[in-house]
Amino acid sequence: MSETCSPIPRIHTTLSTTSPEGRPEPEFYQVKPIYVNPRPTRSVRIVAISDTHNKLNANLPVGDILIHSGDVCKKENMEEFLHFAEVFSSLPFKHKIYVAGNHDLGAYQSPREIIDTVLPGVHYLQDSGCEIEGIKFWGMPWGPNGP
């Protein structure tokens, strides 16, 4: 959304002595929205999820960018991670971002080439960033106790 656009219109009230149909009426207030700023010419809908713990499904809102910010696995094994990768890669989003969580050993202990192979077309962020539709994203899978 452009910085010059306001998401909430300002409301202006006027005192009128005629009804909307043109009849004489006692005084009443008409509420007329006044849009101070133009509506945005483009928008991006971001769907952000986390902590699915091996229960990711396709029942998600429609969006342009899907972000999963970790904890895709429950038992911290590669089999669960590969299942997540299959489901996540198949979801119908234009862009996808994944940042590993503390339960996702299969992700952050694997070489980058493996991640890129099992998550094709997904931006995997590990101490790195990307820019999508003019929006900058940064991902770090590190918690207070390390990865």
Side-chain angles (χ1 to χ4, degrees), residues 8-14 31-37:
I8 301 172
R10 295 192 181 162
I11 302 296
H12 175 71
T13 58
T14 58
V31 178
K32 298 178 183 178
I34 296 176
Y35 294 92
V36 177
N37 298 316

Side-chain angles (χ1 to χ4, degrees), residues 6-142:
S6 172
I8 301 172
R10 295 192 181 162
I11 302 296
H12 175 71
T13 58
T14 58
L15 187 60
S16 175
T17 56
T18 56
S19 70
E21 295 83 26
R23 298 186 315 245
E25 293 278 334
E27 292 182 351
F28 68 94
Y29 284 96
Q30 287 182 321
V31 178
K32 298 178 183 178
I34 296 176
Y35 294 92
V36 177
N37 298 316
R39 297 187 78 177
T41 56
R42 71 176 183 93
S43 62
V44 176
R45 180 174 281 184
I46 298 172
V47 177
I49 59 175
S50 70
D51 298 280
T52 54
H53 296 285
N54 207 28
K55 294 185 180 178
L56 178 64
N57 61 47
N59 189 18
L60 295 171
V62 174
D64 301 304
I65 301 172
L66 173 62
I67 302 171
H68 197 302
S69 53
D71 287 355
V72 300
C73 300
K74 190 173 185 178
K75 298 179 182 173
E76 303 179 11
N77 65 40
M78 192 59 150
E79 182 181 320
E80 285 185 352
F81 180 73
L82 292 174
H83 173 72
F84 157 77
E86 182 181 332
V87 174
F88 192 70
S89 297
S90 70
L91 294 173
F93 287 82
K94 186 175 178 183
H95 304 282
K96 295 173 211 148
I97 297 172
Y98 169 61
V99 180
N102 64 320
H103 289 263
D104 305 333
L105 293 176
Y108 56 75
Q109 290 186 348
S110 298
R112 182 63 186 230
E113 298 78 32
I114 293 175
I115 299 298
D116 291 341
T117 301
V118 298
L119 289 170
V122 173
H123 298 274
Y124 173 61
L125 304 183
Q126 180 172 329
D127 300 325
S128 59
C130 66
E131 184 171 331
I132 301 171
E133 307 269 343
I135 304 168
K136 294 179 182 179
F137 299 91
W138 184 263
M140 306 176 7
W142 314 111

